[in-house]
Amino acid sequence: MNRAGRRLHAALTTWPDSRGWRVVARELLWGLSLIAVLAFVTGLARFDPMPFDVRWLGFFFGLMFVPALGEELVFRALLVPPPHQPFPAWQWALAIAIFVAWHPFQALTFGPPWSEIFLDWRFLTIAAALGALLVRLYRATGSIWPCVATHWLMVAAWKLLFAGPIG
């Protein structure tokens, strides 16, 4: 198995131990608080829930695969080394910058219905905060699953409860 395959396998098959889950909980306290403040203060989020129905459930579960699982496999499992390997500050910054840059790239190349938001400085600031949080979760646990769950629930909450764009 090549290096990328080993990284993906390790990230997918590792489950945090009790210490890892405590770190995840501590990291989520600061990270989600910061993201919520940024989202509400900048006006990027407001409480406006989408009606609960089959469509709501489809979005909720679909978001687990795209963007959460797909992006976490690339931007954490492949770009961020596992906890036992060195990870200098410049590589942290680069990993976060690549994650942030992915969003305008999508807007400019694929043109999803929500492209405009992917170019908005408020969204990009929140993406940077989320990227930093997710790198910290992955480095603390070596598992992709806390990152996938966090990314999934953040995007789902924004789109389904806090007026994020649905397309």
Side-chain angles (χ1 to χ4, degrees):
M1 188 181 301
N2 65 19
R3 184 175 163 189
R6 285 190 305 273
R7 273 200 176 172
L8 288 172
H9 182 266
L12 287 165
T13 59
T14 299
W15 193 254
D17 58 14
S18 60
R19 180 202 148 286
W21 284 116
R22 286 191 301 275
V23 172
V24 166
R26 185 181 66 236
E27 293 293 333
L28 290 177
L29 281 175
W30 77 261
L32 296 180
S33 298
L34 173 62
I35 290 167
V37 167
L38 289 171
F40 285 100
V41 166
T42 62
L44 203 58
R46 68 183 186 290
F47 187 67
D48 184 14
M50 181 179 167
F52 184 78
D53 57 14
V54 172
R55 187 170 168 244
W56 192 100
L57 289 170
F59 279 119
F60 180 75
F61 289 108
L63 291 167
M64 180 176 57
F65 298 102
V66 179
L69 181 60
E71 289 185 4
E72 292 312 309
L73 288 172
V74 173
F75 297 112
R76 257 52 72 186
L78 290 178
L79 290 182
V80 177
H84 63 278
Q85 294 181 2
F87 193 45
W90 70 268
Q91 286 180 330
W92 279 76
L94 182 60
I96 295 166
I98 291 170
F99 175 66
V100 172
W102 165 245
H103 295 86
F105 175 77
Q106 285 181 78
L108 298 172
T109 56
F110 307 126
W114 54 86
S115 290
E116 186 177 317
I117 200 85
F118 279 12
L119 302 172
D120 188 314
W121 69 269
R122 300 169 301 167
F123 175 86
L124 297 173
T125 301
I126 292 167
L130 178 61
L133 171 63
L134 296 171
V135 166
R136 290 175 64 94
L137 294 178
Y138 185 66
R139 289 291 293 174
T141 66
S143 173
I144 204 68
W145 299 112
C147 302
V148 170
T150 300
H151 196 158
W152 171 35
L153 296 173
M154 280 275 313
V155 174
W158 181 44
K159 289 181 173 283
L160 301 173
L161 300 175
F162 298 105
I166 300 281

